[in-house]
Amino acid sequence: MSDSAERIPTVMGALRSPRMLKTEVLAGLVVALALIPEAIAFSIIAGVDPRVGLFASFTMAVSIAFLGGRPAMISAATGAIALVIAPVAKQYGLDYFIATVILAGVLQVVLGVLGVAKLMRFIPRSVMVGFVNALAILIFTSQFPSLIGVPWLVYPLVAVGLLIMFLLPKVTSVVPAPLVAIVLLTVATVVFALNVPNVGGEGELPSSLPALLFPDVPLNLETLSIIAPYALAMAIVGLLESLLTAQLVDDVTDTHSNKTRESWGQGAANVITGFFGGMGGCAMVGQTMINVKASGARTRISTFLAGVFLLILVVGLGDIVALIPMAALAAVMIMVAIGTMDWYSIHPKTLRRMPRSETAVMLATVVVTVATHNLAYGVVVGVVTAMVLFARRVAHLTEVVDVAHPDEDTRAYAVKGELFFASSNDLIYQFDYVGDPKNVVIDMSESHIWDASTVATLDAITSKYEAKGKHVRIIGLNAASAERHVRLSGQLSGGH
């Protein structure tokens, strides 16, 4: 085992260490408190009873603690999932809604087994930076309902909460600063009878445990045609958000996670959640950052306890939880947003040093994500933007140079650069078909053929010379390029 692997905290290691175990337990408690209002809010977005979101957060967290591939990551009901499948609940009812969640989980398991996690390698760093910055903005703006049109006492409470979370870590890290802020602000509002919005005002908390539920829908093609499009969208959005969050936690903790296991684990957790009447979900970046960055958790214990504490709090201690002021939770999430933002990436010195294309990709990801409130849309646009700009940049690195005239009947060209659809299309215009002698040699030892477009272009060049009674010889192809050229040359619709 490598030295880095030995330093990765484990469940057994945490259980043997009172200090680590305390960190995991308290982190789970803080996350559970932060999950409650968001689960209720996402239930409202999805058009279902708050219990559906709260039970989903419980089952997702507990399930993924055992099944997931990224320790310490929090999965629960999320806004992205709520937005995707909300139309099902509104148009067809709760049973179809639950069936959609179960099917989405099955699809995620299939995609995970097929290796969808390997596609993460195609997400550039600039998209990841944009994802993180957009997420910080969304976490911050999502607190506006708790900050706008509220009693003036909310603002000093939020300020005090932020002050506690900023100063306390400088004094001690024995207890997570977010938990101290929540407890102190709750005590203050109760003792001084402050009239400010609290968790109880967000929605009714459940009074019983979740039970197994099989959706009452016809098992036929008509049902499949209704739920399949929404299930597929949910599966893709959930996997994308979860895998990006796993990558972010990998960077924060300097450890490696099993993305394939995380993919099918998310699917299995959604299937379990569906059968317990939950709305499904995926990884939550905000709560994960509370767990990992603000509270210092590193193992599956914190994830498991977040789910357990959530259920205990809302079912057994609902009356007490209802007293927590929304100002305290808003302060916690604002602090998370500040900590999540990659401030270095937007520093003027960094922006001046960074290539414009990289900045453009980051900004495209941020703008689309914030505008749509959907991280998946932003990431897709960012990746496409990166691909287009990369293709444009590489296309300009291709050149054709006149290298030799061995005799009066021969002219030799050298083609340099990577040849694919964006760079090879202009290649046909860089030869002198009329003025060249009878024999033309094209040396490609400093280039590489990547696609059929390039082979078609070379066929077109050869055809143009042959039409004028001249002979072309292509030399210097590397093994991969030669194989592709031999296999495709003359088979591409006459070279067009």
Side-chain angles (χ1 to χ4, degrees):
M1 185 180 290
S2 66
D3 291 341
S4 60
E6 290 175 354
R7 289 194 296 268
I8 299 174
T10 63
V11 170
M12 291 307 298
L15 291 174
R16 293 192 193 102
S17 168
R19 182 182 60 82
M20 283 182 62
L21 185 58
K22 181 204 67 179
T23 298
E24 298 293 316
V25 172
L26 293 178
L29 180 57
V30 174
V31 170
L33 291 169
L35 279 173
I36 295 169
E38 297 221 351
I40 295 172
F42 297 149
S43 298
I44 295 170
I45 291 173
V48 296
D49 188 280
R51 284 182 280 261
V52 177
L54 289 166
F55 287 158
S57 293
F58 160 67
T59 53
M60 285 294 296
V62 171
S63 299
I64 209 68
F66 293 97
L67 301 170
R70 172 63 263 178
M73 190 166 78
I74 304 297
S75 290
T78 63
I81 297 301
L83 286 170
V84 169
I85 59 176
V88 182
K90 292 172 184 175
Q91 295 178 40
Y92 303 101
L94 182 61
D95 285 303
Y96 280 86
F97 181 86
I98 298 300
T100 302
V101 172
I102 295 171
L103 179 58
V106 172
L107 291 174
Q108 286 180 326
V109 171
V110 172
L111 290 171
V113 172
L114 292 177
V116 70
K118 294 177 182 177
L119 296 177
M120 282 294 293
R121 72 183 69 178
F122 296 106
I123 298 181
R125 179 188 175 279
S126 50
V127 173
M128 278 296 300
V129 172
F131 165 78
V132 169
N133 290 344
L135 180 68
I137 295 170
L138 288 178
I139 291 173
F140 179 75
T141 56
S142 68
Q143 306 314 305
F144 286 175
S146 299
L147 300 173
I148 299 175
V150 294
W152 69 269
L153 283 170
V154 167
Y155 303 112
L157 286 174
V158 171
V160 170
L162 290 172
L163 204 60
I164 291 171
M165 287 182 284
F166 180 75
L167 296 177
L168 186 61
K170 299 179 182 297
V171 179
T172 179
S173 59
V174 173
V175 182
L179 180 59
V180 174
I182 291 171
V183 171
L184 290 182
L185 292 182
T186 302
V187 170
T189 57
V190 172
V191 170
F192 297 105
L194 302 179
N195 185 20
V196 293
N198 56 30
V199 171
E202 295 296 298
E204 184 183 355
L205 299 177
S207 57
S208 61
L209 298 175
L212 277 172
L213 168 71
F214 192 86
D216 183 17
V217 297
L219 299 178
N220 54 32
L221 290 176
E222 183 182 357
T223 299
L224 185 62
S225 67
I226 291 172
I227 68 175
Y230 296 102
L232 180 60
M234 175 182 164
I236 293 172
V237 169
L239 282 179
L240 184 56
E241 196 158 338
S242 298
L243 291 174
L244 285 170
T245 304
Q247 183 62 51
L248 180 59
V249 179
D250 287 355
D251 294 339
V252 170
T253 61
D254 195 25
T255 57
H256 179 68
S257 60
N258 187 333
K259 305 298 189 302
T260 297
R261 177 177 172 179
E262 185 62 42
S263 299
W264 63 254
Q266 287 286 334
N270 271 309
V271 171
I272 294 169
T273 297
F275 280 119
F276 276 95
M279 61 178 279
C282 62
M284 297 189 77
V285 189
Q287 274 67 18
T288 297
M289 288 298 101
I290 291 175
N291 195 46
V292 174
K293 210 166 186 178
S295 303
R298 289 294 182 270
T299 76
R300 299 174 187 274
I301 295 174
S302 57
T303 306
F304 174 76
L305 290 179
V308 172
F309 283 144
L310 172 65
L311 191 65
I312 294 172
L313 289 169
V314 298
V315 175
L317 303 172
D319 292 340
I320 297 174
V321 171
L323 299 174
I324 297 174
M326 291 302 295
L329 297 175
V332 171
M333 297 310 291
I334 290 171
M335 204 67 185
V336 169
I338 293 171
T340 301
M341 189 77 176
D342 187 345
W343 296 103
Y344 177 79
S345 69
I346 58 174
H347 193 282
K349 287 184 178 180
T350 305
L351 294 174
R352 284 195 296 269
R353 188 182 302 118
M354 195 67 65
R356 290 182 180 178
S357 59
E358 299 284 328
T359 302
V361 170
M362 188 264 285
L363 289 175
T365 306
V366 171
V367 170
V368 173
T369 301
V370 173
T372 63
H373 283 238
N374 191 313
L375 292 166
Y377 289 162
V379 170
V380 169
V381 169
V383 171
V384 171
T385 303
M387 290 170 60
V388 170
L389 293 177
F390 174 77
R392 183 174 178 271
R393 186 166 64 250
V394 174
H396 291 298
L397 297 177
T398 303
E399 63 175 335
V400 177
V401 295
D402 182 358
V403 292
H405 296 265
D407 54 63
E408 61 181 16
D409 291 330
T410 306
R411 184 177 186 181
Y413 289 97
V415 179
K416 301 178 180 181
E418 304 301 308
L419 300 174
F420 63 110
F421 62 89
S423 60
S424 63
N425 285 336
D426 290 335
L427 200 63
I428 195 169
Y429 304 113
Q430 299 189 45
F431 295 89
D432 186 358
Y433 303 103
V434 176
D436 280 347
K438 293 180 180 180
N439 299 308
V440 175
V441 177
I442 302 177
D443 185 356
M444 303 189 68
S445 56
E446 295 184 58
S447 61
H448 188 100
I449 297 175
W450 287 104
D451 62 4
S453 294
T454 302
V455 177
T457 298
L458 292 175
D459 285 352
I461 292 170
T462 301
S463 297
K464 281 180 175 292
Y465 274 118
E466 288 176 348
K468 299 186 181 303
K470 300 173 183 180
H471 174 68
V472 177
R473 187 159 58 98
I474 297 175
I475 64 172
L477 289 170
N478 59 42
S481 298
E483 187 277 331
R484 187 169 286 112
H485 186 260
V486 170
R487 176 161 46 89
L488 297 176
S489 183
Q491 308 297 319
L492 302 169
S493 301
H496 297 294

